[in-house]
Amino acid sequence: MTDSNTPNAHDLLLHEHDARGVHRLTLNNPGSFNTLSEAMLTALQKALDAIAQDEQARVVVLGAAGKAFCAGHNLKEMRAQPELSYYQKLFAQCTRMMLGIQKLPVPVVARVQGLTTAAGCQLVAQCDLAVSVDSATFGVNGIDVGLFCATPSVPLVRNMHAKQAMEMLLTGGFISAAEAQSRGLVNRVCAAAELDAQVDALVEAILAKPREAVRLGKALFYQQREMGIEAAYQLAGQTMACNMMNDVAQEGVLAFIEKRTPTWRA
């Protein structure tokens, strides 16, 4: 659903990147609380696909403009097309985008500056890391309009304990940023004035590590999580063996032995 306050497709998602390989994506439809409309999902997918092809990419920071980070799906848009085939296509599109975040070879850091609900909460849960202002609130409150947040439940229960996630899903209740941190949904909570500094601290910490090791580690982390413990150990062992054959690991281990700072190409 569009209105006079809706940015055009080109401005709906702002995409910037710098010479360090840091990509910054900004949801830029504050008038709709940055809902995941079809157009927004398309813009996010296009950006993620481009970053996946960028061999110089190192980190993605996903933020938003306005008071809300993301208020979930655009309900007006959904209500306008009450057809099963449309809803199936919409949720498949959203799932593809969410999985795109996980499949990126670089970490994605959510920069949460405000209200986060339903599929917006899903978006935060899907990111690898998250930093939030202390005034933000989080909820999966689709149940309030008769719609159980099924797809948001997938990454949510992979971030926090099952009963904590289920309580949010069944009651539609919101939690504070401090509660989100204690439950594992976000990594850091800070005052609004410190948000960018906290995000940058995580970015700098990642940039200080070799890209190849980060790439291998992120892929392994999510693959092994879905496996039984024996298969997970087998995959992890193979990943570490391949990682040790990489030049960056050989240099890092040698530097440790020689008590010096490693010299990495990336």
Side-chain angles (χ1 to χ4, degrees), residues 11 35 63 114 121 129 158 179 216:
D11 297 325
T35 54
C121 194
L129 302 168
R158 286 165 168 77
E179 289 174 303
L216 287 170

Side-chain angles (χ1 to χ4, degrees), residues 11 14 41 59 93 97 107-108 119-120 128 138 155 161-162 174 191 210 241 247:
D11 297 325
L14 305 181
L41 288 170
V59 188
Q93 179 185 17
M97 185 276 293
V108 180
D128 304 299
F138 300 80
H161 291 304
F174 281 74
D247 290 344

